[in-house]
Amino acid sequence: MKPWSIPLRGKLDELEIDSSALKGNHLGDPHVRPLMVYRPPAYERDPAQRFPTIYLIQGLTGQVDMWKNRSSFRPNVIELVDLLFSNEQEDVPPCLVVMVDAWTSLGGSQYVDSPGTGKYMTYLCDDVVSFVDAKYRTKASRDHRALTGKSSGGYGAMVVPMMRPDVFGAMATHAGDAMFDLCYARSFGDTVRALRDNYGGSFEKFWADFRSRPALSKSSDHNLLNDYCMAACYSADADGTVRMPFDTATGERIPEIWARWLALDPVYMARKPDYAKALKSMRAIYIDAGKRDEYFLDIGAEAFRRELDKLSIKDYFFELFDATHAAIEYRYPKAMKYLAERIA
Amino acid sequence: MKPWSIPLRGKLDELEIDSSALKGNHLGDPHVRPLMVYRPPAYERDPAQRFPTIYLIQGLTGQVDMWKNRSSFRPNVIELVDLLFSNEQEDVPPCLVVMVDAWTSLGGSQYVDSPGTGKYMTYLCDDVVSFVDAKYRTKASRDHRALTGKSSGGYGAMVVPMMRPDVFGAMATHAGDAMFDLCYARSFGDTVRALRDNYGGSFEKFWADFRSRPALSKSSDHNLLNDYCMAACYSADADGTVRMPFDTATGERIPEIWARWLALDPVYMARKPDYAKALKSMRAIYIDAGKRDEYFLDIGAEAFRRELDKLSIKDYFFELFDATHAAIEYRYPKAMKYLAERIA
Amino acid sequence: MKPWSIPLRGKLDELEIDSSALKGNHLGDPHVRPLMVYRPPAYERDPAQRFPTIYLIQGLTGQVDMWKNRSSFRPNVIELVDLLFSNEQEDVPPCLVVMVDAWTSLGGSQYVDSPGTGKYMTYLCDDVVSFVDAKYRTKASRDHRALTGKSSGGYGAMVVPMMRPDVFGAMATHAGDAMFDLCYARSFGDTVRALRDNYGGSFEKFWADFRSRPALSKSSDHNLLNDYCMAACYSADADGTVRMPFDTATGERIPEIWARWLALDPVYMARKPDYAKALKSMRAIYIDAGKRDEYFLDIGAEAFRRELDKLSIKDYFFELFDATHAAIEYRYPKAMKYLAERIA
Amino acid sequence: MKPWSIPLRGKLDELEIDSSALKGNHLGDPHVRPLMVYRPPAYERDPAQRFPTIYLIQGLTGQVDMWKNRSSFRPNVIELVDLLFSNEQEDVPPCLVVMVDAWTSLGGSQYVDSPGTGKYMTYLCDDVVSFVDAKYRTKASRDHRALTGKSSGGYGAMVVPMMRPDVFGAMATHAGDAMFDLCYARSFGDTVRALRDNYGGSFEKFWADFRSRPALSKSSDHNLLNDYCMAACYSADADGTVRMPFDTATGERIPEIWARWLALDPVYMARKPDYAKALKSMRAIYIDAGKRDEYFLDIGAEAFRRELDKLSIKDYFFELFDATHAAIEYRYPKAMKYLAERIA
């Protein structure tokens, strides 16, 4: 019943997965996770066929049911996916789309294995992929699997295929975190100030306050959560202790911790032989970002693109478009079509 | 499965209603509308009992399935409602909660009857209420019905009970539109400028552009849509022609059109004998707003409150709290509890 | 010695004038005022000649020595004036430029006679002009006198020649206050809120605080000062009592007070026969404003221009250029050249 | 004649100095510079006495006559200085105040010697100080000389006494540049974007555009000028070539260039034995900044203060106050009094 919701022509399965990788994670977050799988109409129509799979991952603070969130006057993401893969005219190769949850109680996981959060890359690459391949008629190989997402999801879509090219053979990033000096360091001053003015310099006091009231209701919440969560993902010690890359009283950058962050910056990663080789093996690379992105991820995108050029990778999609970081979910189908045509 | 979604203890019915009031509406918008009804656990437990009803209405550009939208780290509104009415400890009188759709292709309806949009007050007060009373075990009288909402929904929750006290005997407004000189007129300059710079001075060109691309992707979209939609609700001629309350080239206020707007401003309405009488008949009046509301609806709330004082209405709830206009859905349960205790 | 200061080729006289019009003004502000007169090189060169005069007036909170304020990398206004009138190549008819002070302890005077501030129009038109004509070799008639300024100075440059066409026969306005519904009413909500949150609703408390500390050091200072000062200029009672055009607790517009403001809005003034006649008698009308003016004075400029069109005034200059309200002093020479050519 | 200007009780000498240090500077900027010297009333009264000297230096884009700039309702800086040193009641030890120009055609010099700009530290410490000591009855030794300023002037007031403790024995910094990772790096992303969107990636094109129109009239001007000028001060090669500390296309930090910047960050400098020794030798150290400083110089101030603590320096003044970076000239007298009492 338009315009409120659009009946799906495909199917959406809402499942749960019990992840062994997430068992005993440092934060005590659940190891049973929701999982949503979209099946295109062709999946029912053609019961002998196997299908390529696109894994869709979320930005920081994403919870998997947010894919159903509606913005005014717009289809939601699941409807966008359905419109793409059920449109016979457009002749897009039909894909399964797997929506993965990687929320943590700090906001997210960046889809990496970290002692500060949990083994989210392993969970994604081993637990989730196996689960999906076992349950659905997939083309169960890296050449027929793509990873895509926006913001922290775009980050994951860049780094996971570099680290696990055995699992993913294609990637699409919308405004993915990259060039950390621009996208992350910018908020460190705000964080120092917010800790000083509101929390006696202590992240513990911040988290206690944050958990005691409607989340994200103070203007400093986002920066504090973001900086801490990134540190938990990028620079936690083996025992889970989170190391901030700056002195929380003075903002002074701590080079050895910052180096641990940069080691996970897609731009710098692309310069390492193994990751470069992985990039060269991709069947599809799609990159876009809004030119007015609040986190300068358009510049991060350009920096990542230049690494592809240096590696003589010729066949990729790149576009900077007129937008901010927000409300760009209408770009997903563009990337999915690009991926579908290359992993079919 | 926390934290992604919380299984409801009550039930949510998703229905459709075919509204005779909306048939042939000027915009050609559907007369069949979605409707969601929340039944508390007590409804099943006690099949002989009848229940009071709270009608929940949305802000501008709201579509009814947005009540399911999740914000990071927070329960969504339906979960909030369920938590309130299924919490045995708190001893809140159980209510049915009816979520009504009043979207239009201009963004909304303000819940009034207008030749520019449609008969949305009639739709709400006659069609929807009858439908609900026929289908559910309600306490089917105005003394057991409340109307509540935020922003344009808060506006509706003020004006509809004033105009139809036969239907609603209680109201709650969160940051409801009021004191139009502050909340609406502020954007007229931006609108004049956006029309000049981007649309050759023409709203028609704006709407053509707006409908050709992802909605609300330009920074001027919100103001243009808001100003036009309000004019469609408050100052459309009998044939549906929308009259703007200002000259779109110079911003000059047009007094006779602006007077039509003010006639529908809750603050001014409260001064008319019939509406004053209706207000005095309310069993519950709840008013709140964020002190940093971008539309100055905290001041509108204060202005409305002062009208209650002038009418010697003593028993109302009033609070200005520290927040902007956004992300204040956590206030709904507070109002619903207040209403429930007074319409039980 | 460039780039720090540019030696003048003309002369700047710094004088004082004892104004009878300002004696006993309501605010107790001084009746002895500074006055600066720029003489072009031609004035000395040609002792028999008489010169046209351009009166330059300031924006709100202007004090006359601010004309010497330097902005980085830019000539100051006096240097700009000197560059214009000492440039033999450009062949601009030489003029005297008179810089008038009309500061008040509320910020300014809007160059009108008001019981709330003082008789600043009389001071300008009678006291200052007589003083200048007596002291300098001027062409002492309205056809050879122009008035120009920016912001509130632009306002004065529109309304004073309308009210006193016997004195001024030409005008130039840069971003002058006009279309008050856009330029002034926009801040009323902020003012109500600032009074509520910081001053117990009282302007008296605001002024006491304002005078106790570095002026304009709080973010709400500008709006509070502006709203109050405009009321002192436009809607003070005969005994000097300042009437605000809105209820300071609710923001409700008070129509009879607002009408007093609109009676002094240049756009509405232009519709009155006497003022229209004055406009038609002008030898030069110059209008400009920045398209991104924070007070929407570009739209006010357009509205004023349309009134000229309605009066069949054909010969005027009009331009909207790419700028905000700030730092547009480089536009002064453009207007002065235009005026000089027409009042020579 | 209050409130427009306050007659000085002391004297202001406006001089020129021909600097040998600035001869042949890379930018071709003048070597003859303006200089203003304020003499307190005591200087005339007591012709046998010698006086301590406070050198006052400016922020980026400062030109020395800007000290005369008036802000609404406020004394200008020269009047503030005069009020301080002519107030018999307050018993502030009288000082000469020397206002030094260190403007360059890139905006400023940071008061350091650089092949990219000129030998501005030498100019200040040798040329200007000698000139003043020769011309005035000064107490001509480092123990009786202080350096003070705001923003880039505050930076100079920290680093010059560290590098030239033979010349200056006291310092005061208002919101001085420090902790470069916070105060400078924050704009690099904006700069990359502005170069990309408006200047084809080229600073040369920026400067050509900048010099062709009213300076600082585009919103990106400030960041571009600031980033480039700092590089000219901190990381120019011996031949004057300016090295940016980031890749102008990708924002990637260039560690070896950035290290050259950090070597001139007051916080890091304080850790070097020579500079630490210089700091310990100071007779007065005054530090303040606004808590809402747009460049996070409050955090830089705190970082610098902590270095003093590490050096067991006990006797310093430190205050963070409620303000932004702008319009804090009213703090100058507070610092000058503190200095005067310690260098008398």
Side-chain angles (χ1 to χ4, degrees):
Chain A
M1 181 177 34
K2 284 184 69 179
W4 301 275
S5 63
I6 306 170
L8 299 184
R9 283 178 279 190
K11 300 280 183 208
L12 185 74
D13 299 333
E14 303 199 39
L15 311 162
E16 282 186 15
I17 173 174
D18 189 336
S19 162
S20 56
L22 295 186
K23 283 212 175 82
N25 68 75
H26 182 70
L27 297 170
D29 289 325
H31 55 87
V32 177
R33 293 297 176 112
L35 185 75
M36 303 198 306
V37 179
Y38 169 80
R39 288 176 279 139
Y43 192 86
E44 307 310 298
R45 222 166 31 225
D46 202 350
Q49 208 188 323
R50 293 195 155 265
F51 290 85
T53 323
I54 296 174
Y55 288 77
L56 175 59
I57 52 180
Q58 296 183 299
L60 194 69
T61 72
Q63 300 173 218
V64 80
D65 62 351
M66 286 182 183
W67 291 122
K68 299 178 184 173
N69 280 9
R70 177 170 310 290
S71 294
S72 307
F73 291 96
R74 296 190 185 188
N76 68 22
V77 170
I78 290 162
E79 292 163 356
L80 285 172
V81 166
D82 186 60
L83 288 166
L84 179 70
F85 289 117
S86 65
N87 186 335
E88 324 275 298
Q89 272 86 334
E90 277 218 28
D91 200 28
V92 179
C95 296
L96 290 159
V97 178
V98 180
M99 285 157 267
V100 181
D101 182 89
W103 186 89
T104 72
S105 49
L106 300 177
S109 68
Q110 298 300 97
Y111 308 93
V112 299
D113 287 354
S114 166
T117 51
K119 297 188 172 180
Y120 283 86
M121 186 166 69
T122 302
Y123 152 71
L124 167 61
C125 292
D126 296 333
D127 298 349
V128 175
V129 168
S130 305
F131 179 92
V132 169
D133 284 342
K135 194 170 173 69
Y136 292 92
R137 282 176 279 116
T138 61
K139 293 188 174 174
S141 84
R142 58 91 69 187
D143 280 353
H144 303 288
R145 270 191 222 107
L147 189 58
T148 185
K150 182 204 141 189
S151 197
S152 287
Y155 171 78
M158 286 184 277
V159 304
V160 171
M162 280 197 267
M163 294 192 278
R164 293 296 300 271
D166 57 312
V167 178
F168 292 104
M171 62 168 69
T173 168
H174 304 286
D177 300 6
M179 194 49 83
F180 290 178
D181 254 307
L182 297 186
C183 71
Y184 292 145
R186 193 177 164 82
S187 60
F188 294 167
D190 296 291
T191 288
V192 169
R193 193 176 276 169
L195 288 174
R196 176 191 74 192
D197 291 345
N198 304 322
Y199 299 111
S202 154
F203 265 114
E204 288 65 36
K205 286 188 188 158
F206 160 66
W207 284 110
D209 175 54
F210 182 83
R211 301 215 148 94
S212 73
R213 56 176 169 80
L216 297 164
S217 56
K218 290 190 181 169
S219 61
S220 59
D221 281 357
H222 181 79
N223 281 336
L224 288 162
L225 178 147
N226 191 77
D227 290 2
Y228 191 85
C229 184
M230 292 304 118
C233 295
Y234 300 148
S235 54
D237 290 348
D239 67 354
T241 306
V242 173
R243 302 285 175 203
M244 298 305 296
F246 56 89
D247 183 315
T248 53
T250 65
E252 183 174 349
R253 200 72 63 83
I254 301 170
E256 56 275 20
I257 309 291
W258 186 243
R260 292 164 69 180
W261 286 46
L262 290 189
L264 287 165
D265 183 327
V267 178
Y268 292 85
M269 287 174 73
R271 295 174 189 168
K272 294 190 183 155
D274 282 359
Y275 300 149
K277 190 176 158 202
L279 282 171
K280 289 177 142 185
S281 78
M282 290 294 128
R283 298 185 63 180
I285 300 179
Y286 173 106
I287 306 165
D288 74 15
K291 281 185 167 185
R292 295 176 282 126
D293 189 286
E294 289 84 347
Y295 306 99
F296 295 91
L297 296 171
D298 50 331
I299 303 177
E302 171 68 13
F304 188 64
R305 188 192 68 73
R306 288 186 175 227
E307 297 302 321
L308 302 186
D309 283 355
K310 287 190 213 161
L311 295 172
S312 303
I313 295 171
K314 297 261 181 302
D315 184 28
Y316 60 79
F317 176 91
F318 181 80
E319 186 184 355
L320 302 185
F321 56 100
D322 182 37
T324 68
H325 193 69
I328 56 172
E329 86 294 336
Y330 58 85
R331 303 287 299 186
Y332 287 125
K334 192 175 183 77
M336 287 188 181
K337 181 168 187 281
Y338 185 88
L339 295 171
E341 288 166 351
R342 283 158 184 80
I343 62 169
Chain B
M1 181 176 34
K2 285 185 72 180
W4 302 275
S5 62
I6 304 169
L8 299 184
R9 284 181 276 190
K11 301 281 183 206
L12 185 73
D13 299 332
E14 304 199 37
L15 312 163
E16 283 186 15
I17 173 174
D18 189 337
S19 162
S20 56
L22 296 186
K23 282 213 176 81
N25 68 74
H26 183 70
L27 297 169
D29 289 326
H31 55 87
V32 177
R33 294 297 177 112
L35 186 74
M36 303 199 305
V37 179
Y38 169 80
R39 287 177 279 140
Y43 192 87
E44 308 309 300
R45 222 169 30 227
D46 202 349
Q49 207 187 325
R50 293 195 155 266
F51 291 85
T53 323
I54 296 174
Y55 287 77
L56 174 60
I57 53 180
Q58 297 184 298
L60 195 68
T61 75
Q63 302 173 217
V64 80
D65 62 351
M66 287 183 182
W67 290 123
K68 298 178 183 174
N69 280 9
R70 177 170 308 291
S71 294
S72 307
F73 291 95
R74 296 191 184 186
N76 67 24
V77 169
I78 290 161
E79 292 163 356
L80 286 172
V81 165
D82 187 59
L83 288 166
L84 179 70
F85 288 117
S86 64
N87 187 335
E88 324 274 300
Q89 272 85 334
E90 277 218 26
D91 199 28
V92 179
C95 296
L96 289 159
V97 178
V98 180
M99 286 159 267
V100 181
D101 183 88
W103 185 90
T104 72
S105 48
L106 300 177
S109 68
Q110 298 300 96
Y111 307 94
V112 298
D113 287 355
S114 166
T117 53
K119 296 188 172 181
Y120 283 87
M121 185 165 71
T122 302
Y123 152 72
L124 167 60
C125 293
D126 295 332
D127 297 348
V128 175
V129 167
S130 305
F131 179 91
V132 169
D133 283 341
K135 194 171 173 67
Y136 292 94
R137 282 178 277 117
T138 61
K139 293 189 174 173
S141 84
R142 58 93 66 188
D143 280 352
H144 303 287
R145 271 190 222 108
L147 188 59
T148 185
K150 180 203 144 190
S151 197
S152 287
Y155 170 78
M158 286 185 276
V159 303
V160 171
M162 279 197 266
M163 293 193 279
R164 294 294 302 270
D166 57 312
V167 178
F168 292 104
M171 61 167 71
T173 168
H174 304 286
D177 299 6
M179 194 49 81
F180 291 178
D181 254 306
L182 297 186
C183 70
Y184 293 145
R186 193 175 163 82
S187 61
F188 294 167
D190 296 289
T191 288
V192 169
R193 193 177 274 168
L195 288 175
R196 176 192 75 193
D197 290 346
N198 304 323
Y199 299 111
S202 154
F203 265 112
E204 288 65 38
K205 286 188 188 159
F206 160 67
W207 284 109
D209 176 53
F210 182 82
R211 301 201 195 287
S212 74
R213 54 174 172 81
L216 298 164
S217 57
K218 291 190 180 169
S219 61
S220 58
D221 281 357
H222 181 79
N223 281 336
L224 289 163
L225 179 146
N226 191 78
D227 291 1
Y228 191 85
C229 184
M230 291 306 118
C233 296
Y234 300 146
S235 54
D237 289 348
D239 67 354
T241 305
V242 173
R243 301 287 174 201
M244 298 305 297
F246 56 90
D247 183 316
T248 54
T250 65
E252 182 174 349
R253 200 71 64 82
I254 301 171
E256 57 275 21
I257 310 291
W258 186 243
R260 291 164 69 180
W261 286 46
L262 291 188
L264 288 164
D265 183 327
V267 178
Y268 293 85
M269 286 173 74
R271 295 174 189 167
K272 293 190 184 154
D274 282 0
Y275 300 149
K277 190 177 160 202
L279 283 170
K280 289 178 142 184
S281 77
M282 290 293 129
R283 299 185 62 182
I285 301 178
Y286 173 106
I287 306 164
D288 73 15
K291 280 186 169 186
R292 294 175 283 126
D293 189 287
E294 290 84 346
Y295 306 99
F296 295 90
L297 297 171
D298 50 332
I299 304 176
E302 170 68 14
F304 188 63
R305 188 191 70 71
R306 290 188 173 224
E307 297 303 320
L308 301 185
D309 284 355
K310 286 189 215 163
L311 295 172
S312 303
I313 296 172
K314 297 261 182 301
D315 183 28
Y316 59 81
F317 176 92
F318 181 80
E319 185 184 357
L320 301 185
F321 56 100
D322 182 37
T324 67
H325 193 69
I328 55 172
E329 85 294 337
Y330 57 84
R331 303 286 299 186
Y332 287 125
K334 193 174 182 74
M336 286 188 182
K337 181 167 187 282
Y338 185 89
L339 295 171
E341 289 166 348
R342 283 158 184 80
I343 63 168
Chain C
M1 180 178 33
K2 285 184 69 183
W4 302 275
S5 62
I6 305 169
L8 300 183
R9 283 180 278 192
K11 301 280 183 208
L12 185 73
D13 300 333
E14 304 199 37
L15 311 164
E16 283 185 14
I17 173 174
D18 189 336
S19 162
S20 57
L22 297 186
K23 282 210 177 82
N25 67 75
H26 182 71
L27 297 169
D29 289 325
H31 55 87
V32 178
R33 293 298 177 112
L35 185 75
M36 303 199 305
V37 179
Y38 170 81
R39 286 176 281 139
Y43 192 88
E44 307 310 297
R45 225 172 26 230
D46 202 349
Q49 209 187 324
R50 292 194 158 266
F51 291 84
T53 323
I54 296 174
Y55 287 77
L56 175 59
I57 52 179
Q58 297 182 299
L60 194 69
T61 74
Q63 300 174 218
V64 80
D65 63 352
M66 286 183 183
W67 291 120
K68 299 178 182 172
N69 280 10
R70 177 169 307 291
S71 294
S72 306
F73 290 95
R74 296 191 184 185
N76 67 23
V77 170
I78 290 161
E79 292 163 356
L80 285 172
V81 166
D82 187 59
L83 288 166
L84 179 71
F85 288 117
S86 65
N87 187 334
E88 324 274 298
Q89 271 86 332
E90 277 217 27
D91 200 28
V92 179
C95 296
L96 291 158
V97 178
V98 180
M99 284 157 269
V100 181
D101 182 88
W103 185 90
T104 72
S105 48
L106 300 177
S109 68
Q110 298 300 95
Y111 308 94
V112 298
D113 287 353
S114 166
T117 52
K119 297 187 171 180
Y120 283 87
M121 185 164 73
T122 302
Y123 152 72
L124 167 60
C125 292
D126 295 333
D127 297 349
V128 175
V129 168
S130 305
F131 179 92
V132 169
D133 283 342
K135 194 169 173 68
Y136 291 93
R137 281 177 279 115
T138 60
K139 292 189 175 172
S141 84
R142 58 92 68 187
D143 281 352
H144 304 288
R145 272 189 220 108
L147 188 59
T148 185
K150 182 204 141 190
S151 197
S152 286
Y155 171 78
M158 286 185 277
V159 303
V160 172
M162 279 197 267
M163 293 192 279
R164 293 294 302 269
D166 58 311
V167 179
F168 293 103
M171 62 167 69
T173 169
H174 305 286
D177 300 5
M179 194 49 81
F180 291 178
D181 255 306
L182 297 186
C183 70
Y184 293 144
R186 193 176 163 82
S187 60
F188 294 167
D190 296 291
T191 288
V192 169
R193 194 178 273 168
L195 289 174
R196 176 192 74 192
D197 290 345
N198 304 322
Y199 300 111
S202 154
F203 265 113
E204 288 64 38
K205 286 188 188 157
F206 161 67
W207 284 109
D209 175 54
F210 182 83
R211 302 215 147 93
S212 73
R213 55 175 170 80
L216 298 164
S217 56
K218 291 190 181 170
S219 60
S220 58
D221 280 358
H222 181 79
N223 282 337
L224 288 163
L225 178 146
N226 191 79
D227 290 1
Y228 191 85
C229 184
M230 292 305 117
C233 296
Y234 299 147
S235 54
D237 290 347
D239 66 355
T241 305
V242 173
R243 301 285 174 202
M244 298 305 296
F246 56 90
D247 182 315
T248 54
T250 66
E252 181 174 350
R253 200 72 64 82
I254 302 170
E256 57 275 20
I257 310 291
W258 186 243
R260 291 163 70 179
W261 286 45
L262 291 189
L264 287 164
D265 183 327
V267 178
Y268 292 86
M269 287 174 72
R271 295 174 188 168
K272 294 188 184 156
D274 282 0
Y275 299 149
K277 189 175 160 202
L279 283 171
K280 289 178 141 184
S281 78
M282 290 293 128
R283 298 186 63 183
I285 301 177
Y286 173 107
I287 306 164
D288 74 14
K291 280 185 169 186
R292 295 176 281 126
D293 189 286
E294 289 84 347
Y295 307 99
F296 296 90
L297 297 171
D298 50 332
I299 303 177
E302 171 68 13
F304 188 64
R305 188 192 69 72
R306 288 186 174 225
E307 297 302 320
L308 302 185
D309 284 355
K310 287 190 214 162
L311 295 171
S312 303
I313 296 171
K314 297 261 181 302
D315 184 28
Y316 60 80
F317 176 91
F318 182 79
E319 187 184 355
L320 302 185
F321 57 101
D322 182 37
T324 67
H325 194 69
I328 56 172
E329 85 295 335
Y330 58 85
R331 303 287 300 187
Y332 287 124
K334 192 174 182 77
M336 287 187 180
K337 181 168 186 282
Y338 185 89
L339 295 171
E341 288 165 350
R342 282 157 184 81
I343 63 168
Chain D
M1 180 176 33
K2 284 184 70 179
W4 301 274
S5 63
I6 306 169
L8 299 184
R9 283 179 278 191
K11 301 280 182 207
L12 184 74
D13 299 334
E14 304 199 38
L15 311 164
E16 282 185 16
I17 173 173
D18 190 336
S19 162
S20 57
L22 296 186
K23 283 212 175 81
N25 67 74
H26 183 70
L27 297 170
D29 289 326
H31 55 88
V32 178
R33 292 296 176 114
L35 186 75
M36 304 198 305
V37 179
Y38 169 81
R39 288 176 278 138
Y43 192 88
E44 307 310 299
R45 222 167 33 224
D46 201 349
Q49 208 189 324
R50 291 195 158 267
F51 291 85
T53 323
I54 296 173
Y55 287 77
L56 175 59
I57 53 180
Q58 296 182 299
L60 193 69
T61 74
Q63 301 174 216
V64 80
D65 63 350
M66 287 182 183
W67 291 122
K68 299 178 182 172
N69 280 9
R70 177 170 308 291
S71 294
S72 306
F73 291 95
R74 295 190 186 187
N76 68 23
V77 170
I78 290 162
E79 292 163 356
L80 286 172
V81 166
D82 187 59
L83 288 166
L84 179 71
F85 288 117
S86 65
N87 187 335
E88 324 275 299
Q89 272 86 334
E90 277 219 25
D91 199 29
V92 179
C95 296
L96 289 158
V97 178
V98 180
M99 284 157 268
V100 181
D101 182 89
W103 186 89
T104 72
S105 49
L106 300 177
S109 68
Q110 298 300 97
Y111 308 94
V112 299
D113 287 354
S114 165
T117 53
K119 298 188 171 181
Y120 282 88
M121 184 165 70
T122 302
Y123 152 72
L124 167 60
C125 292
D126 295 333
D127 298 348
V128 174
V129 168
S130 305
F131 178 92
V132 169
D133 283 342
K135 195 169 171 71
Y136 292 93
R137 283 178 277 115
T138 61
K139 293 189 174 173
S141 85
R142 59 90 69 185
D143 281 352
H144 303 286
R145 269 190 222 106
L147 188 58
T148 185
K150 182 204 141 189
S151 196
S152 287
Y155 171 78
M158 285 185 277
V159 302
V160 171
M162 279 197 266
M163 294 193 279
R164 293 295 302 271
D166 58 311
V167 178
F168 292 104
M171 62 169 69
T173 169
H174 304 286
D177 299 6
M179 195 48 83
F180 289 178
D181 254 307
L182 297 185
C183 70
Y184 291 146
R186 192 175 163 82
S187 60
F188 294 167
D190 296 291
T191 289
V192 169
R193 193 177 274 168
L195 288 174
R196 176 192 74 192
D197 290 345
N198 304 323
Y199 299 111
S202 156
F203 265 114
E204 289 65 38
K205 285 188 189 158
F206 160 66
W207 284 108
D209 175 54
F210 183 82
R211 300 200 196 289
S212 73
R213 55 176 170 80
L216 299 163
S217 56
K218 290 189 180 169
S219 61
S220 59
D221 281 357
H222 181 78
N223 281 336
L224 289 162
L225 178 146
N226 191 78
D227 290 1
Y228 191 86
C229 185
M230 292 305 118
C233 296
Y234 300 147
S235 55
D237 289 348
D239 67 355
T241 305
V242 173
R243 301 286 175 202
M244 297 306 296
F246 57 89
D247 182 316
T248 54
T250 65
E252 182 174 350
R253 201 71 65 82
I254 302 170
E256 56 275 20
I257 310 291
W258 186 244
R260 291 163 72 178
W261 286 46
L262 290 189
L264 287 164
D265 182 327
V267 178
Y268 293 86
M269 287 174 71
R271 295 174 189 169
K272 293 190 186 156
D274 282 1
Y275 299 150
K277 190 175 158 202
L279 282 171
K280 291 177 140 183
S281 78
M282 290 294 129
R283 299 186 62 182
I285 301 178
Y286 172 106
I287 306 164
D288 74 15
K291 280 185 168 185
R292 294 176 284 126
D293 188 287
E294 290 84 346
Y295 307 100
F296 296 91
L297 297 171
D298 50 332
I299 304 177
E302 170 68 13
F304 188 63
R305 188 191 70 71
R306 289 185 175 227
E307 297 303 319
L308 302 186
D309 284 355
K310 287 190 215 162
L311 295 172
S312 304
I313 295 171
K314 298 259 180 306
D315 184 29
Y316 59 81
F317 176 92
F318 181 79
E319 187 184 355
L320 302 186
F321 56 101
D322 182 37
T324 68
H325 193 70
I328 55 172
E329 85 294 336
Y330 58 85
R331 303 287 299 186
Y332 286 125
K334 191 172 183 79
M336 287 189 181
K337 180 167 188 283
Y338 185 89
L339 295 171
E341 288 165 350
R342 282 156 185 80
I343 63 169

